[in-house]
Every structure is written in C-alpha cells, then in structure tokens.
Amino acid sequence: MKRLRVLLAASEAWPLVKTGGLGDVVGALPVALRGLGVDARLVLPAYPAARQALPDARPLARSALYGADITLLRGELPAGGRRMLPVYLIATAAFDRPGNPYQNADGVDWPDNPARFALFCRAAAALALGHLAPDWRADVVHAHDWQAGLLPALLSLHTQRPRSVFTVHNLAYQGLAPAADAAALGLPAEWWRFDALEFFGQLALIKGGLVFADRITTVSPRYAQEIQTPEFGCGLDGLLRYRAHALVGILNGIDAEQWNPATDPALPYRYDAEHLDLKAADKAALQQELGLAAEPRALLLGLVSRLVAQKGIDLLIDALPHLPADVQLVVLGSGEAAYTEALRAAAAAQPARIAFRAGYDEPLAHRIQAGADALLVPSRFEPCGLTQLYALRYGTVPIVRAVGGLADTVVDASAENLASDCATGIVFETASSAALLAAIERALALFRAGAPWQQLQRAGMAEDHSWEHAAGAYLELYCHLLDQELPGA
Ligand code: ADP
Ligand code: GLC
C-alpha cells in the first residue's frame, strides 16, 4: 500500500522554535508518525531562528502569493536512528523578524499577525496541493492552532484536496482581527458569516479550522468535553457542540528521549527509579545554583511556565505569604509584568526560600524537573499540560488542579488510591489559593512520611507517556478519513 503522506503545519516546532507545549508536540508528533511508517512532513514559517536551526535548508521553489514573494525551503531534522524528517520553511519578508514568532522585543504581539499567518496558510495550502513543489502532495493536512486555522478553510475550496485535521491546543487564542481584515486578506466574501469565520463582528482565524476541518482534535479527552461548555468554550462552545461528532480528544505524549532523567545532558546527576539518591544530589545542586538554603528536608516546589492568567500564577502569588516554613519554591517563567514583578519581590524578600528566574531557559527547565521534589501546575484551564508529564517521568510529584489534561494524567494521593497503588500526585479542585495551599500541605505531610512519597514517585516514573500511543491514535484518524486500512492491519 502507498505510504500515507501527512503535512503538519504549525507556527512552532522544537528544536526549530518553541514558546510552549505546542512546539514540543509539533516537534515530536511527526517523528513518532515516521516511526509508524507515515511520510510525515512539517511546514513552518522561516523565522530567522528556524533558518539558523536548519542551516542546510535549500530553496525549492519561488512564488508570488497575494502580492508577497515566497520562497519554499526544504531541510531535514533527525528523526531517530537513520530516519530524517523533511521540514519545509516558508520564507517571506513578514517572517524575517528577530525573536519570538508572535511578538516584538517588548513582548507586544505584532499587529499584522493575522495577515502573516494567513499568508503562511496560503503557502502551506499550495504546498499540500502540490502547487508549490510538484514532486510531493499531501493526503492529509494536520493544522495546529489558530495560526494554521485558515488552512482547512483554504483547502475546502478545492475539490481534489487532502483531508484536513485541525488540533486545538488552546481555544483561548483565536487569531482575532478587525472585520476590515477579512477583505484585506482576500478571503471569500461568503466566509463572513457566523457559521464560517465571523465571530461577534470580528474575524476569527481559529474558526477556519473549527468550521472547515474534516476532523477536530484536542489534546486531552477531558478538554474535548470542557470546550463544549460555556465555562471553557471561550464563546465557541456552541460551534464545538455542533461539531461534536467530528471532535475527539487525543492525549499528548512526551519526547521520552529528550525528557529522560537517566540520559538528560542538562542534569548534574542522571538517575532512574532505582537511584533516587542521585535525584537528591540534583536537588542539592539546584538549591546551590539558585541560592536556596541547602536543606535536604525542605520540600522544594518547582514551577516552569508561561506566566499568564491561564496558569493560575495569581493563586500561587497569593499563597506565598502562607507557605509552610519548610517549603522552598523555584519559579522559571516569562510572561506578564504583574506576575514577574510579584515573584521577583517575593524572591528578594526571602532569597533562601524562594527563587525566581525570569525568561526562557530550556536546560534550567530540565534541572528544575530533576531537582524539585514536587511540580506545581495550578492552572485555571489546561488543554493538556506537558510539565506534569515531564515531572512524572522525573520522579517529581505533580501538584495539579483538576482541569483538562491535568485531570486526565494525575491520580490523586487519596487514601484509597494510595492503597491500590495508582496514585501519582496531588490533585485539587477549586481555583483558589486556599485550595492550592491545602494541596501543598497534603504534599508536605506525605513528603515527611517518606514511604508514601516514594510510592508516588515510583508510580509516576513507571508510567509510559511516550508518543507511540498518541501517534497511533492520529494515524488511525488519518486512515479513517481516507477510508484506508491501518498499515499493517
Ligand atoms: P503551554 O503550552 O500552555 O505553555 P505546556 O505545559 O503544554 O504549557 O508546555 C510548556 C512547555 O514550555 C514545556 O516544555 C515547558 O518546560 C516549557 N516552558 C515554559 N516556560 C518555560 C521557560 N520559562 N523556560 C523553559 N521552558 C519553559
Ligand atoms: C497549549 C496548552 C497546553 C498543551 C500544549 C500542547 O499551549 O496550553 O495545555 O499541553 O498546547 O498541546
């Protein structure tokens, strides 16, 4: 049978460019799909950082799309063993800007983001249809988040077209633009309707995916249910209920090579479940690095996150004055100024107990996962969440709120769950600093008791969250869309 050709389109992919979990997922999924025999390929905007990370990328085609000159570049990334992942980059002036894919140096979104990513979608559609580089066309296009939202809509204009899958990583980011942009972007007039791209008088590029994709997926089963409710639906819950038959939640995996405490090059001491004494050495090294008191009996909490409202950072900030005495905290994150200022002040007031590192630091994220005893994820909503999955693998007990993928991946240390040895962390229900504090106090009691804590660590480390399972679920979905049997079935 012919090899299935799948084009994944997104605004970020590790190791080319990453601002959050989207980058992790879009970097790892095509690699896992290739491992399953799929001809998966990736298309990304050619930001300067992506071009630097892919120095061997060569021009393949040139084209003019909606008045913009586009160059299609093609390079490759290692994909395990001798396998390589083909990567296409869309080079055009709008992406030739330094820094973050979405923001200028002051952290402000580029005002022309809708136009930039609409252009990216036009180029990706042309590529998928075989119009840009005639030697390859896609059977399935898998578009991710609003930046690739227009892609399923553009493909729907063609009769001979690939099937489309749209994955919602975060419904709160919708690619909104003023009504005038709809015409300026050259979109068909009939898309200016509530059942197409119009959204309360604005253009919402995410609706290109939600309305026009053959299938919609999101990154955990629980979030797939939540987004059909007004509480989590961000105004799109009605549309998602309408499309419920085409919507499925597939839990993200993690890159088990990159996030492996036994081989992680970022760690001072590498360890596995049989050598947790070496994890204690990582804790001591982290305390020293951060200037925290060298206290092995303190419960060291870590948090690695974008500092935005979604992540419940305010709950943590409000809890700081009430943290039990033998609790230490390290936060690594970047984001909103109000949060960074509050965290900086708290760390300055109690430097031996609280450390804050502003900015984006991949190796430090790994050292925190290894050196912390517990990892906080107090999110108000969380489509999947990856840091709690990394924590499970690193024997770092996750303390999470019972939402989205956090609820799907962490099993609370209730007496019953401990007795049946399925508990992996601490789960709390209410989005309040009191509930977060109560969860931290429960963690502290288990930590002091010793044996139940090690039980949680071992149970988490024994789980397998690698990509094989999720990639298999996506492959099944692609085959279903094409009326094909699963390869090897
Ligand atoms: P989201 O995608 O909503 O930001 P996830 O938990 O899915 O949340 O993924 C976050 C990813 O970004 C993880 O890989 C995490 O380690 C990483 N990350 C977040 N903030 C930072 C930071 N300041 N430095 C390094 N890595 C970070
Ligand atoms: C989003 C979500 C996060 C998810 C990630 C990868 O950024 O906020 O919960 O893990 O995408 O799917």
Side-chain angles (χ1 to χ4, degrees):
M1 195 167 52
K2 198 166 64 63
R3 230 172 138 205
L4 188 67
R5 295 166 302 192
V6 179
L7 182 66
L8 291 96
S11 57
E12 49 183 274
W14 173 260
L16 299 178
V17 56
K18 163 177 162 184
T19 70
L22 173 67
D24 286 333
V25 170
V26 178
L29 175 58
V31 172
L33 286 168
R34 286 193 86 83
L36 297 178
V38 177
D39 179 6
R41 302 183 180 202
L42 196 57
V43 60
L44 232 67
Y47 316 105
R51 293 185 74 154
Q52 262 170 26
L54 215 57
D56 295 337
R58 292 284 167 265
L60 206 62
R62 282 180 217 286
S63 180
L65 286 176
Y66 272 80
D69 287 325
I70 305 269
T71 303
L72 178 73
L73 304 164
R74 196 196 132 137
E76 285 184 330
L77 284 173
R82 287 206 307 267
R83 277 194 292 270
M84 299 303 280
L85 168 68
V87 179
Y88 298 101
L89 297 178
I90 307 294
T92 185
F95 289 114
D96 201 8
R97 299 174 190 173
N100 183 301
Y102 319 114
Q103 300 178 335
N104 67 19
D106 299 325
V108 178
D109 282 357
W110 296 110
D112 59 347
N113 275 345
R116 297 168 79 213
F117 289 105
L119 185 58
F120 168 64
C121 288
R122 285 195 186 280
L127 172 66
L129 290 159
H131 296 170
L132 265 189
D135 67 324
W136 195 83
R137 63 200 342 264
D139 301 309
V140 175
V141 169
H142 188 165
H144 297 263
D145 268 359
W146 78 261
Q147 296 87 354
L150 207 52
L151 193 42
L154 292 168
L155 292 173
S156 78
L157 299 171
H158 298 262
T159 42
Q160 292 284 318
R161 65 167 178 90
R163 305 286 108 188
S164 60
V165 176
F166 181 66
T167 295
V168 178
H169 294 263
N170 196 329
L171 199 64
Y173 299 95
Q174 303 174 336
L176 299 180
D181 280 21
L185 295 180
L187 305 180
E190 62 269 24
W191 285 357
W192 188 253
R193 290 167 48 116
F194 82 95
D195 55 356
L197 301 192
E198 189 268 346
F199 185 56
F200 298 108
Q202 287 190 289
L203 178 70
L205 291 175
I206 194 173
K207 289 187 74 182
L210 299 180
V211 173
F212 291 96
D214 296 311
R215 286 288 184 284
I216 305 166
T217 75
T218 188
V219 288
S220 70
R222 172 95 166 225
Y223 192 60
Q225 296 304 317
E226 287 172 345
I227 55 178
Q228 297 179 50
T229 67
E231 186 186 354
F232 293 98
C234 304
L236 292 160
D237 45 296
L239 169 58
L240 288 159
R241 284 195 299 279
Y242 176 71
R243 296 223 60 200
H245 63 284
L247 167 66
V248 59
I250 298 177
L251 192 69
N252 283 334
I254 62 171
D255 184 329
E257 270 177 39
Q258 205 210 324
W259 293 93
N260 180 357
T263 56
D264 191 334
L267 306 190
Y269 302 93
R270 299 186 189 105
Y271 61 91
D272 57 27
E274 308 311 317
H275 301 90
L276 287 174
D277 51 322
L278 290 170
K279 178 170 169 59
D282 278 313
K283 174 177 174 177
L286 185 65
Q287 284 171 324
Q288 189 182 18
E289 173 183 353
L290 299 169
L292 296 171
E295 179 46 79
R297 278 178 315 220
L299 174 72
L300 175 52
L301 305 175
L303 183 145
V304 179
S305 183
R306 295 182 293 121
L307 302 177
V308 296
Q310 169 191 347
K311 302 292 181 179
I313 305 301
D314 53 324
L315 307 182
L316 175 63
I317 290 170
D318 290 348
L320 290 180
H322 313 288
L323 278 186
D326 36 7
V327 169
Q328 297 181 341
L329 170 71
V330 50
V331 175
L332 166 64
S334 63
E336 288 171 24
Y339 299 136
T340 47
E341 278 155 26
L343 289 164
R344 197 168 277 135
Q350 302 190 67
R353 287 186 63 209
I354 300 180
F356 173 52
R357 292 293 179 273
Y360 190 90
D361 187 336
E362 191 77 29
L364 179 57
H366 286 244
R367 291 198 298 278
I368 291 175
Q369 289 286 2
D373 296 300
L375 189 94
L376 295 176
V377 197
S379 304
R380 292 180 184 280
F381 70 93
E382 196 61 75
C384 178
L386 296 174
T387 61
Q388 85 281 10
L389 296 178
Y390 301 145
L392 288 170
R393 188 119 209 267
Y394 280 64
T396 303
V397 174
I399 301 177
V400 306
R401 181 149 176 260
V403 282
L406 301 173
D408 282 342
T409 54
V410 182
V411 179
D412 184 56
S414 64
E416 201 184 354
N417 290 338
L418 280 170
S420 58
D421 204 14
C422 63
T424 54
I426 313 283
V427 182
F428 65 99
E429 293 287 333
T430 314
S432 71
S433 55
L436 171 60
L437 269 173
I440 292 172
E441 273 154 16
R442 280 173 64 207
L444 185 58
L446 293 166
F447 180 70
R448 283 188 180 136
W453 191 260
Q454 283 146 23
Q455 186 187 332
L456 292 178
Q457 289 182 296
R458 294 221 162 80
M461 292 181 92
E463 289 190 347
D464 179 2
H465 288 281
S466 58
W467 265 105
E468 277 73 45
H469 181 74
Y474 282 112
L475 177 56
E476 210 170 304
L477 184 73
Y478 304 150
C479 290
H480 180 75
L481 276 176
L482 294 166
D483 274 332
Q484 269 189 20
E485 280 186 27
L486 270 180

